[in-house]
Amino acid sequence: MAMAKMISVGGSQTADQALYVCRHSHGTHPRGIFYSENPLDFSFPLLLLDAILVIFFIRSIHFLLKPLKQPHIVSKILGGIIIGPSVLGRNRAFAKNVFPDNTSYVFKNIGLIGFVYFLFLSGVKMDITAIAKTGKKQLSIGLIGVLVPFLTVLSIMIATRKTLDKELNRVPVMEGIASAFAVTTFPVLYQVIKELNLLSSEVGKLAMSSVMVSDCIGVVCMVIFEAARLETIDALWVLISFIGIAAVIGGFWKAMVWIVKSTPERKPVDPGYVVWIFLAVMVMAFLSDVSGLAVANAPLWLGLAVPAGPPLGAALVEGADTLVTDVFMPFSYAFVGMYTDVSSMVGQWSSVVPLFLMILAAYFTKVVTVLVVALFFEMTVRDGLALSLVMSLRGQVEILIFMHWMDLQIIQVPSFTMLIISTTVLTAIATPLISILYDPTRPYKVNKRRAIQYTPPNTELHIVACIHDQESVTGFLNLLQVSNPSASSPFAVYALRLIELVGRAAPVFVDHEQQAQGFEQYSGFNSIHNALKLFQESQGDYVKFNMFTTVSPTRTMYQDICDLAVTKKAALIILPYNKEYPETRTEAASPQILLRSVNCCVLAHAPCSVGVLVDNGPFRDNKIVNSAMRRITHRFAVLFLGGADAREAIAFADRMAGNVDVSLTAIRFLSHNNEGDDEMEKKLDDGLVTWFWVKNEGNKRVVYREVVVQNGEETVAAIRAMGKDYYDLWIVGRKNGINPVLLQGLSNWSQNNELGVIGDFIASTDVGSRASVLVVQQQVLRGQEPASRGLLRWFSSCSY
């Protein structure tokens, strides 16, 4: 069958001027290569091969550029350019057989579907209500950061008006170009700072709030551009269409609110509703396109109407995010690459250079403007510069706007190529600079001692307790109760509920003394809050609770924990441990799967001491009667292998020893003939152990022993023998102590760095004990990194 295809290069030719090309095309599927048929003459195998090549190049380039902190958007654009006429497409045989002329039609339409759903999901993740909470700093950065670059670009266009192309001379086009170069968009900024793990950082939160203001300005400018470029009557119809689409979206919003209310608590949204909403995205894209508005406008607005977070927003994002980003969007970048031709700029500098100067002026003006505003609000130069680079990021939305300009014949292939390359280069340069300039963990590098060992007696002890679910509350409260809060040494506990960010983009951190409601959609919120309140009432003035909630990505959740510890001057962070029993794991427990990554990041960056609690149930009443006190006691054991972590463990155990319901056995492990000891650390150990023993010498509930071992096998045997006594709680330092002889032969046995070698052993079933385990790490004083590591730090980040 012969199929005629009209090719309009760059969309710049009229139907009368266009070149007509006839391409012979067979059916959809070939019979096979054994019938002497070329599979590339058939549409479906050709489409599959093209998709494979595009995704392969994108993923390969991202793998190569990842150590350089390059975001996905750079890899995707470069992947599209490689298959286009700038690289592989320069080979005529490759272009003719693998990416023939009619391929662009398919790629463009599939790519546009990808863009439509990408912007819809971006709208779902945005919380439009956050604009009402925007502070003076965010409002100033968002407003001034757009206004100054906009006026700069507009001034350049007016000054060089005589040298501009005819299509760029129109006033509405000038306004549209100036606003596109000046506005920072939420979908672009969110994707990049998410990849940089900055969503929960100070700069990330500030940028996310400021970009909301910028986006509002961008939407207004886009509507004005669409209406102003038309004749009066056509512009009126566009405005009427805008009002009509807004009314339709209002109807969809009411329907989605009803869906949320009709979904039972802790139950997923009915998949049928999700399908209908995805169909509504297509409907809104169709209405937007036929009414004269840009095709992606209405889907974005529909996404804004979706209630943020679970259950509906989370269901939509989980159901489509990966499919849209990694399957549909590569077609978009392939189409962009097909129309990006570096050679086309040769001889076209008169039209390319003015646009290049405008985008460069807008970029640097925005960087300087945001930096000045940040400095005005007393940010440091490094943080202000990092923020200005974040607010200048370019990406998917700009590409879509450039494609729209191509369709409207405002720009041609040379200008389009320059804009795509400029966008890629500016983002590629800015992203690693942000990583170098801004370290989100810098505020946690405190030089003041914040540990239980260094907390003066008879002073208030500040504790941050991390709560993932209802189960982690019980173990935490049991530990708190036996830690001996008293009138002379009360506890100020900052209970932080950790919720994984799903279905929205901006992290949320809430102090519930200021905001009592708003998180009821998250399972277990009320029961956790009530349990903490009842425990506080039972302890009187000895324990004071402050309840907080953070909704943030798992990869950056540790930043909220450490921020709270720094702000409240905590001496201890308590983390729950995920035992990961596969046979009992349920959907309700799925958030626990990510616990290990959060704990490891906190241990690596904590500004104070950290305790990881392996909760094996309530402390048992052992029915052992103390002859002196005639009380039923809980039996605890502290294993002292030396070093800072062991000293912190015994300092915590000493607090528990003041509880009349607790009997404590302290075991110190020593090497034969002091072989392998670190003399300096051993002196510190001797001093603390002597203080502990002298203080508790008259306390019959405290027993101190020393065990001499020659290797790790004897250490394990001694601990296993103790396990027969059925202690309720083991307390141990996380790191391996000061003497490698004590653990000789055990280093390769442990696979859990979160608990350390001994902590992992006693938490396992090998000991034969059902006791809970508290693994303690003393605060690590972190100064500024050595200069030799300055260029290496940003190659890696806290990961899991």
Side-chain angles (χ1 to χ4, degrees):
M1 177 182 68
M3 179 180 67
K5 168 67 179 169
M6 184 183 78
I7 306 297
S8 177
V9 181
S12 60
Q13 295 174 306
T14 64
D16 294 334
Q17 299 171 326
L19 173 66
Y20 286 83
V21 177
C22 292
R23 175 175 171 81
H24 189 65
S25 177
H26 294 289
T28 306
H29 306 284
R31 291 180 296 173
I33 58 175
F34 303 107
Y35 289 88
S36 300
E37 292 180 340
N38 183 1
L40 299 184
D41 287 336
F42 295 82
S43 57
F44 189 66
L46 181 61
L47 178 63
L48 290 179
L49 177 62
D50 292 345
I52 290 170
L53 288 175
V54 172
I55 296 175
F56 171 78
F57 280 122
I58 288 175
R59 302 303 298 183
S60 299
I61 293 172
H62 181 66
F63 175 78
L64 295 174
L65 296 181
K66 191 174 182 179
L68 300 178
K69 291 291 184 180
Q70 291 300 315
H72 277 88
I73 180 64
V74 172
S75 306
K76 290 173 179 177
I77 296 175
L78 291 178
I81 292 176
I82 284 178
I83 66 166
S86 297
V87 187
L88 295 179
R90 296 187 68 84
N91 185 298
R92 293 186 179 181
F94 177 86
K96 178 181 178 182
N97 292 291
V98 181
F99 286 95
D101 302 322
N102 57 352
T103 305
S104 62
Y105 172 80
V106 177
F107 271 57
K108 180 178 181 180
N109 285 283
I110 297 178
L112 280 176
I113 292 175
F115 270 122
V116 163
Y117 278 105
F118 170 77
L119 291 176
F120 166 72
L121 292 176
S122 298
V124 172
K125 297 171 186 176
M126 292 176 67
D127 184 6
I128 199 68
T129 60
I131 297 176
K133 306 173 186 177
T134 302
K136 185 183 297 185
K137 182 191 296 186
Q138 295 89 336
L139 183 63
S140 301
I141 292 171
L143 187 60
I144 300 175
V146 170
L147 184 61
V148 175
F150 174 83
L151 294 176
T152 301
V153 175
L154 198 60
S155 300
I156 293 174
M157 295 192 76
I158 294 173
T160 61
R161 190 169 186 175
K162 294 180 180 180
T163 63
L164 297 177
D165 291 343
K166 181 179 178 181
E167 287 297 327
L168 299 180
N169 261 314
R170 301 172 57 196
V171 174
V173 173
M174 290 183 179
E175 179 270 333
I177 290 177
S179 63
F181 289 169
V183 170
T184 302
T185 56
F186 169 85
V188 174
L189 186 144
Y190 167 71
Q191 292 293 329
V192 176
I193 65 174
K194 179 183 178 182
E195 293 180 43
L196 294 176
N197 291 339
L198 297 180
L199 281 175
S200 297
S201 66
E202 180 185 359
V203 165
K205 292 177 181 177
L206 183 57
M208 291 288 287
S209 300
S210 302
V211 81
M212 293 288 187
V213 179
S214 177
D215 256 342
C216 290
I217 299 173
V219 169
V220 173
C221 290
M222 178 61 70
V223 173
I224 293 175
F225 167 73
E226 294 294 338
R229 67 182 178 82
L230 303 172
E231 300 295 336
T232 304
I233 187 64
D234 294 330
L236 179 61
W237 281 114
V238 167
L239 293 177
I240 293 174
S241 300
F242 171 75
I243 296 172
I245 288 176
V248 173
I249 291 175
F252 278 123
W253 173 75
K254 291 183 178 180
M256 287 184 285
V257 170
W258 177 83
I259 291 173
V260 172
K261 291 182 178 179
S262 62
T263 301
E265 184 180 356
R266 303 187 68 177
K267 295 292 183 180
V269 174
D270 189 327
Y273 294 142
V274 175
V275 174
W276 279 108
I277 292 174
F278 284 136
L279 178 61
V281 177
M282 289 286 192
V283 171
M284 297 311 300
F286 174 78
L287 294 177
S288 183
D289 206 26
V290 300
S291 63
L293 295 173
V295 65
N297 279 333
L300 174 63
W301 301 336
L302 179 64
L304 293 173
V306 176
L312 185 56
L316 293 172
V317 172
E318 289 177 341
D321 206 6
T322 301
L323 180 66
V324 170
T325 303
D326 295 329
V327 178
F328 282 107
M329 290 294 287
F331 286 91
S332 309
Y333 299 108
F335 174 73
V336 171
M338 290 177 184
Y339 281 91
T340 303
D341 186 359
V342 176
S343 61
S344 68
M345 293 191 293
V346 178
Q348 301 293 326
W349 302 115
S350 60
S351 60
V352 170
V353 171
L355 277 176
F356 176 73
L357 294 177
M358 291 175 205
I359 195 170
L360 209 60
Y363 190 86
F364 284 105
T365 304
K366 192 176 191 71
V367 169
V368 173
T369 301
V370 174
L371 175 60
V372 170
V373 176
L375 294 177
F376 176 80
F377 283 100
E378 299 181 348
M379 291 183 67
T380 64
V381 175
R382 288 175 67 96
D383 290 358
L385 186 55
L387 176 64
S388 63
L389 291 172
V390 168
M391 293 297 294
S392 303
L393 292 169
R394 311 274 94 186
Q396 296 91 334
V397 175
E398 285 75 22
I399 291 173
L400 187 59
I401 292 174
F402 301 155
M403 292 170 62
H404 185 50
W405 291 350
M406 284 274 286
D407 288 337
L408 298 177
Q409 300 183 17
I410 294 174
I411 59 175
Q412 311 304 324
V413 172
S415 298
F416 179 80
T417 300
M418 185 277 301
L419 291 173
I420 293 297
I421 293 176
S422 300
T423 296
T424 308
V425 171
L426 291 174
T427 301
I429 293 174
T431 306
L433 285 178
I434 295 168
S435 297
I436 294 173
L437 286 169
Y438 184 68
D439 179 8
T441 67
R442 189 169 63 245
Y444 322 144
K445 298 175 181 178
V446 296
N447 293 319
K448 185 177 180 180
R449 291 284 188 180
R450 292 182 181 175
I452 295 177
Q453 181 185 350
Y454 300 103
T455 300
N458 302 325
T459 58
E460 188 176 58
L461 181 65
H462 292 230
I463 300 174
V464 171
C466 300
I467 299 173
H468 283 263
D469 52 24
Q470 299 178 56
E471 295 177 0
S472 60
V473 175
T474 304
F476 159 63
L477 293 181
N478 288 335
L479 178 65
L480 199 64
Q481 188 170 22
V482 299
S483 296
N484 197 33
S486 62
S488 61
S489 182
F491 290 176
V493 182
Y494 306 97
L496 179 62
R497 173 75 192 280
L498 307 177
I499 300 174
E500 185 181 6
L501 181 68
V502 180
R504 65 188 301 163
V508 178
F509 189 90
V510 174
D511 181 349
H512 288 285
E513 288 189 355
Q514 301 177 3
Q515 181 177 335
Q517 298 179 345
F519 288 83
E520 289 77 5
Q521 72 268 37
Y522 296 101
S523 61
F525 173 80
N526 290 326
S527 58
I528 292 173
H529 193 80
N530 292 336
L532 298 179
K533 185 177 180 181
L534 288 173
F535 182 82
Q536 177 176 274
E537 292 175 354
S538 68
Q539 296 296 313
D541 295 331
Y542 297 171
V543 178
K544 181 181 179 182
F545 274 104
N546 292 274
M547 184 70 179
F548 300 85
T549 296
T550 177
V551 184
S552 57
T554 305
R555 296 175 65 185
T556 60
M557 200 172 280
Y558 76 95
Q559 296 176 7
D560 292 312
I561 299 171
C562 294
D563 278 337
L564 184 62
V566 169
T567 304
K568 302 303 180 181
K569 299 180 180 179
L572 179 67
I573 298 173
I574 299 178
L575 302 170
Y577 175 76
N578 176 24
K579 295 184 288 293
E580 292 189 354
Y581 294 132
E583 65 273 14
T584 60
R585 185 179 296 160
T586 62
E587 181 181 355
S590 60
Q592 297 280 356
I593 300 173
L594 301 173
L595 259 177
R596 180 166 295 176
S597 65
V598 177
N599 289 359
C600 289
C601 288
V602 173
L603 288 166
H605 300 290
C608 60
S609 295
V610 181
V612 181
L613 178 63
V614 184
D615 179 26
N616 289 323
F619 301 136
R620 300 179 304 280
D621 292 332
N622 288 296
K623 305 300 182 184
I624 295 178
V625 180
N626 183 285
S627 58
M629 303 298 296
R630 308 297 300 176
R631 298 288 294 261
I632 296 174
T633 62
H634 302 300
R635 304 183 66 186
F636 296 170
V638 56
L639 306 179
F640 189 93
L641 279 80
D645 291 356
R647 293 193 291 271
E648 186 73 358
I650 204 169
F652 197 2
D654 177 69
R655 282 184 171 268
M656 297 178 180
N659 189 329
V660 294
D661 292 330
V662 172
S663 68
L664 179 67
T665 300
I667 307 295
R668 185 182 185 185
F669 291 85
L670 299 171
S671 64
H672 183 66
N673 294 327
N674 297 324
E675 180 184 353
D677 281 345
D678 183 321
E679 294 299 328
M680 182 62 70
E681 287 289 330
K682 190 173 185 301
K683 289 181 180 179
L684 295 175
D685 292 345
D686 291 342
L688 186 66
V689 170
T690 302
W691 164 84
F692 171 80
W693 175 238
V694 170
K695 178 182 178 182
N696 294 284
E697 186 176 9
N699 188 345
K700 296 183 178 182
R701 290 179 289 102
V702 177
V703 177
Y704 173 76
R705 300 176 189 167
E706 291 183 350
V707 178
V708 179
V709 297
Q710 299 186 43
N711 52 47
E713 184 178 350
E714 293 186 5
T715 302
V716 168
I719 296 173
R720 187 177 281 116
M722 292 178 60
K724 297 178 181 179
D725 293 332
Y726 295 107
Y727 291 99
D728 296 311
L729 177 69
W730 300 83
I731 307 171
V732 62
R734 173 173 173 259
K735 294 178 184 173
N736 297 339
I738 62 173
N739 193 332
V741 173
L742 303 180
L743 300 176
Q744 186 176 2
L746 299 182
S747 299
N748 296 329
W749 178 84
S750 175
Q751 298 180 351
N752 189 344
N753 186 51
E754 185 182 352
L755 299 179
V757 175
I758 297 300
D760 194 16
F761 172 70
I762 59 179
S764 68
T765 57
D766 295 342
V767 181
S769 172
R770 295 174 296 166
S772 298
V773 181
L774 179 65
V775 178
V776 181
Q777 173 185 282
Q778 191 174 76
Q779 175 201 17
V780 178
L781 291 178
R782 300 176 177 88
Q784 296 299 320
E785 294 179 338
S788 60
R789 296 181 58 193
L791 295 177
L792 298 178
R793 178 193 57 77
W794 63 280
F795 277 96
S796 61
S797 60
C798 189
S799 59
Y800 50 94

